[in-house]
Amino acid sequence: MDVLLTGACGGLGTELAKAFAKRGARLWLLDRDPAALAQLNQQLGGSHLTLAGDLTDRDTLSQLDAQCQQQQPQFAWVLNNAGVASGGAFESLPDSEWQRCLDINLMASVRLSRLVSPHMGKGSYLVNIVSMAAVANAPYMAAYNVSKAALLSLSETLRFEWRPRGIQVSAVCPAFFQTPLLDSLNAQGKAIAAPAGKMMQRSELSAADVADYLIEHAIAGEFLILPHKKSRQAWRVKRWLPSLFFKQVLQQTVKGH
């Protein structure tokens, strides 16, 4: 069973790699950190394929394409997990920050999914790690919210387009949990680092919990996967009582500022 995973050395990526290794998968591990990637591969037995590079770099994708052409894998799972955090008031965000978020949080998944599409088929799973921010937009996170909402939209589009091929598409929208994601936060977003870090520490779920949950629910055929109980409640409130949802977010924003 071939499984391709981006952002393999992050908190969730590492737990996903461990979970699939236990299932006997041959992993294709992608990450920007070559040392961390080599270390993870050794922890998992040292027999997996690794590719160190930036998914916004065409050379990285060309190397992956060459590996696919050489080995002709049939991917059982493709998990687009690479992403960056972003914050700050809307007016403070330069074009470069919008481009950074869109390049990594959206276009990396677009390009990778298109590249590996010929190597997926009936029974394959495409799992995009989105964010609760895609369905419940919080203030002071404009670039991040938009990039993740676009990834959710891509996921739903591919759910329809790839269904005739027998490919199950899922979009995972976790809330806060312990992860190194804040290490990628932009300068304008440093003000949200402390409150976000506290919410990560208070999370009801660990990265391992999120990994297990998303695998189980993807196998069950779910499209929109919300691992956190409070997130499922918030999504229902927004869907059925949008005015109440707006008031709740506004109250939390006032308290935080």
Side-chain angles (χ1 to χ4, degrees):
M1 176 174 71
D2 284 302
V3 173
L4 189 152
L5 171 65
T6 71
C9 298
L12 180 57
T14 297
E15 295 301 332
L16 285 167
K18 291 177 181 177
F20 280 107
K22 289 179 181 177
R23 288 168 167 78
R26 181 178 74 148
L27 295 167
W28 293 53
L29 302 169
L30 281 69
D31 198 274
R32 290 185 297 180
D33 188 333
L37 201 54
Q39 183 178 15
L40 176 61
N41 189 25
Q42 288 302 312
Q43 291 175 355
L44 300 176
S47 61
H48 304 286
L49 186 147
T50 61
L51 176 58
D54 191 325
L55 288 172
T56 65
D57 186 343
R58 302 284 180 153
D59 288 341
T60 300
L61 293 173
S62 295
Q63 292 176 46
L64 175 60
D65 187 37
Q67 290 284 354
C68 288
Q69 294 304 320
Q70 179 183 353
Q71 302 202 28
Q72 291 297 314
Q74 183 69 15
F75 289 115
W77 292 75
V78 173
L79 300 104
N80 285 309
N81 176 59
V84 293
S86 178
F90 170 72
E91 294 86 353
S92 73
L93 300 175
D95 285 357
S96 58
E97 179 58 17
W98 282 92
Q99 195 63 58
R100 183 181 78 105
C101 280
L102 290 170
D103 279 346
I104 300 174
N105 291 347
L106 173 64
M107 292 309 300
S109 296
V110 169
R111 294 173 181 131
L112 186 135
S113 299
R114 184 172 57 209
L115 188 155
V116 302
S117 173
H119 303 280
M120 302 176 71
K122 186 175 182 180
S124 296
Y125 295 86
L126 173 69
V127 178
N128 289 326
I129 308 302
V130 189
S131 169
M132 188 60 189
V135 295
N137 302 153
Y140 304 106
M141 296 171 54
Y144 184 78
N145 292 343
V146 170
S147 66
K148 289 297 188 176
L151 182 57
L152 177 59
S153 181
L154 171 68
S155 303
E156 188 165 8
T157 302
L158 292 181
R159 183 189 186 195
F160 288 110
E161 291 193 16
W162 288 6
R163 184 179 177 84
R165 297 172 54 195
I167 300 173
Q168 165 69 31
V169 178
S170 296
V172 185
C173 297
F176 290 102
F177 62 97
Q178 285 282 19
T179 172
L181 180 64
L182 293 180
D183 293 345
S184 63
L185 198 60
N186 58 318
Q188 296 87 354
K190 294 301 182 183
I192 70 169
K198 290 179 181 178
M199 284 187 277
M200 287 180 171
Q201 292 173 0
R202 295 198 300 261
S203 175
E204 67 200 68
L205 300 177
S206 66
D209 294 330
V210 174
D212 291 340
Y213 187 97
L214 77 85
I215 293 172
E216 175 186 351
H217 287 259
I219 292 173
E222 290 187 23
F223 168 67
L224 186 63
I225 299 175
L226 305 174
H228 292 77
K229 182 178 179 179
K230 290 182 179 179
S231 295
R232 296 192 290 273
Q233 293 170 343
W235 180 75
R236 293 187 187 101
V237 171
K238 182 179 181 181
R239 185 177 182 185
W240 300 110
L241 299 168
S243 295
L244 175 60
F245 176 81
F246 174 76
K247 291 178 181 178
Q248 289 176 342
V249 174
L250 196 60
Q251 289 173 353
Q252 293 172 1
T253 303
V254 171
K255 290 178 182 178
H257 290 75

